[in-house]
Amino acid sequence: MQLLYFGIKEPEEFDNDHWSHKYRGWLDDMVFTYPTAKASLDSRMRFFRFVESRAS
């Protein structure tokens, strides 16, 4: 939803429900105009990776 809020469209190759390593890398490399937007995405990614590590 955050990407939609900022008008960022995912590339066709990532338009699915699977968060591949390549997709996560794309998100990690995302550049925003506002530093708080990047901080928010980084926080979400840390949480995602934490949950993923506990589920494995």
Side-chain angles (χ1 to χ4, degrees), residues 13-30:
E13 68 184 291
F14 301 134
D15 191 14
N16 59 57
D17 293 337
H18 178 69
W19 283 35
S20 67
H21 290 286
K22 190 173 179 182
Y23 177 69
R24 289 182 241 169
W26 178 75
L27 290 172
D28 289 336
D29 294 339
M30 184 78 45

Side-chain angles (χ1 to χ4, degrees), residues 12-55:
E12 280 291 320
E13 68 184 291
F14 301 134
D15 191 14
N16 59 57
D17 293 337
H18 178 69
W19 283 35
S20 67
H21 290 286
K22 190 173 179 182
Y23 177 69
R24 289 182 241 169
W26 178 75
L27 290 172
D28 289 336
D29 294 339
M30 184 78 45
V31 176
F32 290 93
T33 303
Y34 303 102
T36 52
K38 178 63 175 167
S40 176
L41 180 60
D42 289 346
S43 176
R44 292 170 197 261
M45 294 305 295
R46 278 192 306 276
F47 179 73
F48 172 81
R49 288 182 171 112
F50 170 78
V51 170
E52 182 182 51
S53 73
R54 295 298 181 225

